[in-house]
Amino acid sequence: MKKEIDRKLLTTLKAQDPRALESAIDRYSPYVAGVLRKVLGTLGTREDLEELASDVFVALWRGAETLREDSDLKLWLGVVARNRALKHLRGLRLELPLDEDILPGGEESPGRFWERREEAQAVRDAVLQLDAQDQEIFLRHYFWRHGVRQIALELDMKESTVKSRLKRGRDKLRTILKKED
Amino acid sequence: MRDLDRLLTNTFPEELKKVPPALVDKKAVAAKTFEKLGLEQPAKHPRPQGEWVSPTPYRRRPWAVLAACLMLAVLAGVGITLRPMLTPNAHQEPLPAGTYLECAVAKVSFDQEQWAVVLDLEAKTDLDLDHPDAPTGYDLTAYVSRTTSSTRSSLAGLNQEALTHWTETGEDTYRCENITLEIDPVFQAQNQLMGEQDLNLELFAYFGEKNAIGTRENYLMAETPFTVDLPSPLDAFAPSTATYFDLSVSDATFDQPNGTIVLTLEAKTDMELDNETAQLLFYSWFYSLYLGKDSTQDVDLGDYAGADLDSLTQWTQTGEETYRSAPVTIPIPSDFLEQSGLKGTTSGSLHLTVSIWTKVEIDPVQFFSTADFTVELPGAEENHGNQTAAGLLKGDDLATYEKSYGQPWDTAVQELGLSENQVTPCPEAGLWETGEQRSIADQEFEWFLLSDVTTDELYGYWYRYQGTEETQILQTADRILSEAQESYGEPTTYPGSLNRLSALDEDTWNHAVEKGQIQDWYEEWSIGENTRCTLTLTVMDNDTACVLIEYRLAS
């Protein structure tokens, strides 16, 4: 049912029907706000949230033409929202620096890298091999860009523990990815 | 890092999709979006002005008018042909559409028992809210929210069903009473939602035909502020004063694949451990784990506070003032056991501190408790890897025995680490007593060797336990049977056998013991590469009974 609704929404969005955009906002703006809030934490005001959410829907309106009708609309909006929020943080010079780079072979071009689907699968497998808590910490840091202090506070842990668990995750990921190479 | 961004984004879509929604002003987002795109917004909503909003004429959208006309035309056409088949109440007449909606909170109170705000609403509208079909012909929903300096948060818990019951109190004026808004005391405490609070209520009334996705396109909205005095949950939900907390560990295991010690705790206390609100608002937990062979050599693994606090808040009452915890999972660093030399049966102690913060301005009530336990850690294969918990053969021990099958007698004895003087023949041909014993099911079994009298080659072993305590011997056999079934699988005994050990009941056993005639019951398994294991329980004719375990070359 949800997929059917999304398909109809996308069809009418492609036809540039403003009512479809309004429906998309009505349906997905709380989710988009959730993703924005997850990245921004307490840094964004309500106005920031509304502004960034509207940017996401502007992107949807402008990009609808390129979307396939069976696209996962929610995921698409989530990706755009996350990127928009990270860009906003960069603009404020508030993006938290990551502890250290992970991937081996840093000279490899992004395009070539991404084309290797098996490597993406290896990353997923590697992260999934971490124990549940290491996984949670890893994704909070590298996916949501939460700082060590924030993670420590939210998970009620010592900062040193978070750091050592991140290091363990990085080491494991490196080992696995080197093997893949 | 961009590579990793993309990899993570594309390989962990669930991370994105599981994000819960956040409160956002949809109207503001829509207005900004349409403004940025230079588009005219399809629908404008009435804005609140003071307590009552100004009536805003409802404008039906042209496409909807067209759709309605088409629908009416179709209905008319169908109606002409199907009218005789329709019963008078087969479909509901459309309810009147509305053009304006105003709303006000007429009465507000707080019900301590339900821990809920109770509202009476008044609405002025040309919607027929007390029409008998109104509950299904209109969809009414309301939201209560609080706006602070930077955020606006909705309060869940409004009884939406109450909005289907309106009474006309005057011309185009309706009243809906006793709408409850349950307040979550934890949310309330965490968000300082206490004392006089300025809240906002939005009432949406949807009307008209439902579209393909089951919603109505047309709606009116009214918004009204109201003030309510919310009592503090810290007083109302404070648990009774606790005076004791005794802790024990009822189960301790090591989860090897995950490298964790899993403890199930038992507590005797007058705390309200299964009170979720008390747990979230008033109790906090801290624990440390120590592992070591004795108290003077304890190894401090460090504290794991926070690593698994959730399970320390989940308790189930099992008796009067007695509770059992959810499994507490404590990660053990993979290299720790190796470095500390801990393996096999290991003692440990859990130090648990619980703090009760019923009065935040003073020191908490605290209980400091310690529970000792033993846990079976990995790395003790030299002791236990080659036998089951009860002592039956498996692994390398079984393989060694299997290698000895068919060997010349002298070689076999030597390879088993026995001396020729030690092994003496029994009256029964081919049976040899070793003088050695093996502990099986906590009993000392005598070890015998079996040799082929024609070839003088070793072909099997016996373990025998004999005594006069028949009940205890039966229990020993039962325990070995269970263990063998767990370790060796289902017996391969001929199903039609009349004296299967697994079918023996206590009455039959007692009767056989009383008769004092030789009788036996048995089960067989095929194990290892080429071994048949037979477990036999025998009543002897000299007021004794015995359990015999035979491992021999499978024929």
Side-chain angles (χ1 to χ4, degrees):
Chain A
M1 184 67 184
K2 279 181 181 172
K3 279 189 175 172
E4 191 51 37
I5 295 169
D6 279 358
R7 186 187 288 273
K8 283 181 182 169
L9 259 181
L10 276 169
T11 308
T12 40
L13 271 170
K14 279 170 173 291
Q16 297 284 281
D17 184 340
R19 286 169 301 179
L21 180 61
E22 195 174 51
S23 294
I25 293 170
D26 185 54
R27 185 172 166 78
Y28 283 115
S29 58
Y31 166 68
V32 166
V35 174
L36 294 168
R37 179 57 72 205
K38 178 105 180 174
V39 177
L40 297 177
T42 54
L43 294 173
T45 63
R46 188 181 63 170
E47 286 71 25
D48 287 339
L49 210 63
E50 291 168 2
E51 197 65 42
L52 293 172
S54 72
D55 286 349
V56 173
F57 289 104
V58 166
L60 175 64
W61 178 258
R62 291 182 176 150
E65 189 63 30
T66 62
L67 283 171
R68 283 170 35 171
E69 283 177 9
D70 60 350
S71 298
D72 188 331
L73 184 56
K74 184 176 179 182
L75 180 60
W76 190 92
L77 289 166
V79 171
V80 174
R82 173 176 170 270
N83 291 343
R84 191 67 193 81
L86 288 172
K87 189 178 169 192
H88 178 72
L89 287 183
R90 276 196 291 275
L92 296 173
R93 299 185 185 283
L94 283 170
E95 189 187 22
L96 294 158
L98 294 177
D99 224 32
E100 97 180 63
D101 204 1
I102 293 180
L103 298 175
E107 292 173 7
E108 194 171 38
S109 74
R112 181 169 165 271
F113 188 80
W114 176 237
E115 280 164 16
R116 295 167 56 188
R117 285 178 65 87
E118 67 273 21
E119 195 137 28
Q121 186 59 41
V123 169
R124 182 181 172 85
D125 290 347
V127 175
L128 289 178
Q129 277 177 41
L130 302 175
D131 75 39
Q133 189 153 47
D134 284 0
Q135 223 178 87
E136 170 81 16
I137 291 170
F138 185 91
L139 288 171
R140 277 176 185 245
H141 188 62
Y142 286 105
F143 188 80
W144 293 111
R145 301 298 179 83
H146 293 173
V148 170
R149 176 171 293 180
Q150 185 185 348
I151 296 171
L153 271 174
E154 287 177 359
L155 296 182
D156 198 11
M157 301 174 91
K158 290 177 183 168
E159 284 185 38
S160 57
T161 310
V162 173
K163 280 182 181 172
S164 65
R165 281 172 175 270
L166 279 173
K167 182 175 183 311
R168 195 158 68 195
R170 281 196 302 272
D171 290 346
K172 200 164 189 175
L173 200 59
R174 255 195 221 106
T175 310
I176 292 168
L177 293 176
K178 273 177 185 166
K179 266 187 212 164
E180 292 290 322
D181 277 353
Chain B
M1 288 311 298
R2 183 162 296 177
D3 301 343
L4 186 67
D5 274 354
R6 296 189 65 180
L7 282 168
L8 290 176
T9 306
N10 287 281
T11 54
F12 286 93
E14 65 271 23
E15 271 299 306
L16 273 172
K17 292 180 81 171
K18 76 181 182 188
V19 174
L23 191 79
V24 68
D25 188 339
K26 291 179 182 179
K27 286 178 290 181
V29 173
K32 284 175 192 285
T33 306
F34 279 88
E35 188 184 339
K36 286 175 186 173
L37 290 168
L39 294 171
E40 189 182 346
Q41 214 173 328
K44 299 281 185 191
H45 308 135
R47 306 297 307 167
Q49 287 181 6
E51 193 179 0
W52 291 90
V53 296
S54 312
T56 305
Y58 161 70
R59 288 167 56 196
R60 187 177 284 279
R61 300 170 183 125
W63 64 270
V65 173
L66 180 63
C69 291
L70 281 171
M71 191 179 67
L72 282 174
V74 171
L75 282 176
V78 172
I80 290 164
T81 51
L82 296 185
R83 187 177 296 277
M85 297 164 66
L86 295 172
T87 55
N89 295 319
H91 73 283
Q92 183 179 310
E93 290 293 326
L95 291 174
T99 59
Y100 75 99
L101 174 68
E102 302 167 40
C103 171
V105 174
K107 187 180 158 194
V108 59
S109 60
F110 191 87
D111 185 328
Q112 296 260 357
E113 201 169 311
Q114 296 185 72
W115 206 254
V117 177
V118 184
L119 301 166
D120 288 355
L121 287 185
E122 267 191 7
K124 286 187 177 178
T125 181
D126 50 355
L127 293 166
D128 195 355
L129 291 183
D130 70 343
H131 190 284
D133 292 335
T136 52
Y138 297 134
D139 293 328
L140 274 83
T141 54
Y143 304 95
V144 173
S145 58
R146 180 180 70 147
T147 303
T148 56
S149 56
S150 61
T151 55
R152 183 178 186 185
S153 43
S154 285
L155 305 180
L158 189 86
N159 178 14
Q160 303 287 349
E161 200 275 333
L163 294 169
T164 55
H165 308 293
W166 293 83
T167 308
E168 189 162 25
T169 55
E171 190 181 353
D172 282 357
T173 307
Y174 299 87
R175 192 176 178 102
C176 182
E177 295 182 339
N178 295 321
I179 305 164
T180 52
L181 170 67
E182 286 182 17
I183 303 293
D184 175 359
V186 176
F187 174 86
Q188 196 189 351
Q190 287 170 344
N191 292 277
Q192 294 294 308
L193 198 64
M194 303 168 206
E196 203 164 89
Q197 295 291 320
D198 293 326
L199 303 176
N200 197 58
L201 183 137
E202 288 174 293
L203 177 66
F204 291 84
Y206 294 84
F207 55 92
E209 293 294 326
K210 289 186 176 178
N211 60 21
I213 58 173
T215 58
R216 302 177 201 277
E217 298 279 341
N218 310 315
Y219 68 93
L220 293 166
M221 190 275 275
E223 190 172 6
T224 180
F226 67 99
T227 302
V228 62
D229 194 6
L230 296 176
S232 167
L234 297 178
D235 299 325
F237 288 86
S240 52
T241 307
T243 57
Y244 78 103
F245 181 88
D246 295 332
L247 182 72
S248 61
V249 174
S250 64
D251 188 48
T253 56
F254 185 76
D255 179 353
Q256 196 156 356
N258 293 313
T260 55
I261 284 182
V262 184
L263 302 175
T264 302
L265 311 177
E266 300 276 354
K268 280 193 79 68
T269 180
D270 49 0
M271 291 172 65
E272 299 172 21
L273 291 186
D274 59 348
N275 178 336
E276 192 182 352
T277 306
Q279 284 282 7
L280 291 169
L281 287 182
F282 302 102
Y283 298 161
S284 67
W285 301 85
F286 177 89
Y287 71 89
S288 299
L289 177 77
Y290 297 85
L291 286 176
K293 291 295 178 191
D294 59 55
S295 58
T296 59
Q297 293 176 335
D298 277 357
V299 182
D300 185 359
L301 281 172
D303 68 77
Y304 287 90
D308 195 51
L309 286 179
D310 276 354
S311 55
L312 283 173
T313 64
Q314 295 164 31
W315 297 78
T316 306
Q317 186 158 15
T318 55
E320 191 181 351
E321 298 193 343
T322 309
Y323 299 84
R324 178 179 297 123
S325 75
V328 179
T329 304
I330 303 171
I332 305 297
S334 54
D335 52 354
F336 173 79
L337 296 179
E338 198 177 332
Q339 287 169 5
S340 59
L342 293 175
K343 60 188 175 185
T345 306
T346 303
S347 60
S349 62
L350 179 76
H351 297 232
L352 190 62
T353 305
V354 54
S355 307
I356 307 171
W357 301 85
T358 44
K359 294 289 178 190
V360 289
E361 69 274 15
I362 59 171
D363 289 340
V365 174
Q366 288 188 303
F367 298 112
F368 303 90
S369 54
T370 300
D372 296 327
F373 61 90
T374 56
V375 63
E376 198 66 30
L377 295 176
E381 285 77 9
E382 63 274 23
N383 295 327
H384 300 286
N386 296 320
Q387 63 178 40
T388 66
L392 296 174
L393 289 179
K394 68 170 191 177
D396 289 346
D397 276 3
L398 179 61
T400 304
Y401 280 27
E402 288 187 324
K403 274 183 203 162
S404 69
Y405 295 154
Q407 284 190 341
W409 176 249
D410 292 346
T411 312
V413 168
Q414 198 177 354
E415 287 192 2
L416 288 166
L418 300 167
S419 66
E420 284 201 20
N421 296 335
Q422 188 182 349
V423 181
T424 54
C426 295
E428 297 87 344
L431 184 67
W432 302 77
E433 191 173 356
T434 66
E436 300 256 356
Q437 293 185 323
R438 183 185 183 97
S439 179
I440 302 174
D442 297 325
Q443 304 298 339
E444 293 305 313
F445 278 64
E446 298 167 282
W447 184 28
F448 297 85
L449 308 182
L450 301 170
S451 71
D452 188 320
V453 291
T454 55
T455 62
D456 210 26
E457 290 173 349
L458 188 126
Y459 73 90
Y461 305 87
W462 274 9
Y463 290 103
R464 188 177 71 183
Y465 174 66
Q466 192 166 341
T468 55
E469 295 293 328
E470 295 90 355
T471 304
Q472 182 228 343
I473 287 175
L474 175 66
Q475 287 167 351
T476 301
D478 274 348
R479 187 175 159 199
I480 294 171
L481 175 63
S482 303
E483 175 99 11
Q485 283 175 320
E486 194 177 324
S487 299
Y488 300 156
E490 279 307 302
T492 51
T493 319
Y494 172 61
S497 172
L498 294 176
N499 52 342
R500 292 192 62 165
L501 181 58
S502 55
L504 175 63
D505 57 47
E506 204 168 347
D507 288 344
T508 308
W509 171 254
N510 290 335
H511 183 65
V513 168
E514 275 172 26
K515 276 175 70 180
Q517 293 177 348
I518 295 177
Q519 192 171 354
D520 59 21
W521 294 265
Y522 75 100
E523 292 290 351
E524 289 179 348
W525 291 266
S526 290
I527 63 171
E529 292 292 323
N530 58 347
T531 297
R532 187 177 72 203
C533 172
T534 308
L535 170 65
T536 308
L537 172 64
T538 308
V539 178
M540 319 286 273
D541 57 0
N542 56 357
D543 290 327
T544 62
C546 87
V547 179
L548 181 73
I549 305 164
E550 181 189 68
Y551 293 94
R552 62 178 294 170
L553 176 67
S555 55

